[in-house]
Amino acid sequence: MSVPHRVAVLALDGVVALDLGTPAQVFGAARTDDRTPLYAVATCTPGGQPVRSSAGFQVLPEHGLELLDSADTVIVPGIHAGSPLLDGTLAAEVTDALRAAYARGARVMSICTGAFVLAAAGLLDGRPATTHWAYAPRFRRLHPGVRLDPDVLFVDDGRVLTSAGVAAGIDLCLHVVRTDHGSAVANRAARRCVVPPWRDGGQAQYIERPVPRGADSGTAATREWARQWLHEPVTLREMAAHARMSVRTFTRHFRSETGLSPAQWLLQQRTEHARVLLETTDLSIDRIARDSGFGTTAALRQHFHARVGVAPSAYRRTFRRPSPGPPPPPPAAVDLGVVAPGRPGVPELSAATTA
């Protein structure tokens, strides 16, 4: 039996309670088909001493900084107090421990304002990174040498990864599980944690209205319908017609609910569908390009590499999972409205299709 991947969570004074618990929850839910744990998560503090949390309780760790000496991944949760936030400095012992972990090959991650800690340790110099959007001005002032992007959920820069605030830490941890073990394991972990299995790292942090106002005025039903037709060239006009809105109104509602334009969202969904097909089927790259809606192998390669960082064939070699049987048939349509010629679920376009 292989040894679980060792994750060390470094809690500093003022640690954000949700960020502190996220790694243990998400990585703890990542298991093999026979429920063998894939990660072992432990928490440490400087000197193994108690630290205050932002929620008004103390954290009583079982380990000191020596835990970082053997960790495969080191995670720094957000903080709401302390010198990294105030003046961009960090205790020498913490700096040395983080730098030593990175130097020997450990993956280093931060959640929310934990990026201030990594930056104070010098691990983000010259790198792309993110943090909670509300702290972006302060971060830029303290660390002008970091290529900060406060508009994304997380940034994966190889062995250094950073995420935005609160729920974005869940997205980052699931991204790491998916990178390490594939979509099937990550999706099971997400299901166990009752969270969405995948949000693209480039998605906007701030969404004006994350919850639709109601079934009749939102775009959720149309998004679900579009997922069933990823293998077809779904157009913005068709999506707006399905939602019974004008194109302009639909685009405005769609962006306010998802943080993405309809075109960006479709590209995200098609990339994820291609990723799953690469992992779980023996379909050719050309067939996957068609079934995921990219049309051509060249288009799949271009967009997949841009979003995932590797070519589809290279991704398949790394993450291929044996398929239990023949590949599934193309997804069936879901009838969610008046049927238009050629595609179930798209109502006829007319002057009555308005906001």
Side-chain angles (χ1 to χ4, degrees):
M1 182 179 297
S2 60
V3 177
H5 184 101
R6 294 160 297 189
V7 178
V9 180
L10 173 57
L12 300 178
D13 198 46
V15 64
V16 177
L18 178 60
D19 297 354
L20 176 63
T22 291
Q25 186 68 43
V26 175
F27 289 114
R31 297 169 179 260
T32 63
D33 291 338
D34 63 1
R35 301 192 57 75
T36 301
L38 293 168
Y39 299 88
V41 183
T43 301
C44 67
T45 63
Q49 296 300 305
V51 296
R52 297 172 300 163
S53 79
S54 63
F57 60 80
Q58 286 195 326
V59 178
L60 304 176
E62 296 181 353
H63 305 277
L65 292 176
E66 68 279 356
L67 185 68
L68 275 59
D69 296 340
S70 58
D72 302 303
T73 293
V74 175
I75 303 177
V76 182
I79 53 174
H80 279 177
S83 61
L85 282 180
L86 294 176
D87 57 18
T89 61
L90 186 64
E93 61 174 341
V94 179
T95 296
D96 292 344
L98 286 171
R99 288 180 176 176
Y102 178 77
R104 65 171 177 77
R107 178 169 53 198
V108 180
M109 301 164 49
S110 67
I111 299 175
C112 192
T113 49
F116 281 80
V117 177
L118 297 190
L123 295 179
L124 297 183
D125 292 346
R127 290 183 177 274
T130 193
T131 190
H132 194 295
W133 61 268
Y135 287 84
R138 182 186 302 187
F139 190 97
R140 286 197 175 103
R141 185 174 65 253
L142 293 175
H143 304 288
V146 179
R147 291 152 48 198
L148 183 70
D149 184 353
D151 297 324
V152 298
L153 293 179
F154 60 82
V155 173
D156 181 343
D157 191 43
R159 286 198 296 116
V160 179
L161 303 90
T162 53
S163 81
V166 197
I170 299 175
D171 296 312
L172 178 59
C173 290
L174 284 172
H175 166 75
V176 169
V177 173
R178 182 174 293 105
T179 299
D180 289 349
H181 299 287
S183 294
V185 173
N187 290 349
R188 285 200 303 269
R191 181 177 177 83
R192 186 172 181 83
C193 295
V194 199
V195 295
W198 184 68
R199 290 197 298 169
D200 180 58
Q203 182 169 322
Q205 284 192 33
Y206 179 73
I207 300 175
E208 180 183 351
R209 191 179 67 252
V211 179
R213 292 176 298 180
D216 294 334
S217 60
T219 65
T222 297
R223 294 198 303 273
E224 183 58 33
W225 168 82
R227 287 190 186 97
Q228 309 305 314
W229 288 94
L230 293 177
H231 57 293
E232 295 285 343
V234 177
T235 67
L236 173 59
R237 182 176 171 82
E238 288 176 322
M239 294 176 72
H242 183 276
R244 292 182 170 81
M245 299 179 188
S246 68
V247 169
R248 183 174 181 179
T249 300
F250 175 77
T251 301
R252 184 176 71 250
H253 283 313
F254 197 98
R255 186 179 288 277
S256 72
E257 292 171 17
T258 68
L260 300 170
S261 70
Q264 291 171 325
W265 181 86
L266 275 171
L267 182 58
Q268 179 190 87
Q269 299 300 312
R270 287 185 167 127
T271 302
E272 179 62 9
H273 186 50
R275 186 201 298 258
V276 172
L277 292 177
L278 287 166
E279 292 182 17
T280 61
T281 76
D282 294 316
L283 296 174
S284 68
I285 302 297
D286 183 63
R287 171 69 183 276
I288 289 174
R290 296 196 305 271
D291 286 357
S292 55
F294 288 104
T296 67
T297 302
L300 170 61
R301 288 196 184 106
Q302 176 187 348
H303 292 294
F304 196 89
H305 192 282
R307 300 185 77 85
V308 182
V310 297
S313 56
Y315 184 88
R316 168 170 271 174
R317 286 194 297 270
T318 303
F319 295 109
R320 177 73 175 88
R321 297 294 184 269
S323 57
V334 176
D335 187 358
L336 297 176
V338 179
V339 177
R343 186 171 296 159
V346 182
E348 293 282 3
L349 298 172
S350 68
T353 303
T354 58

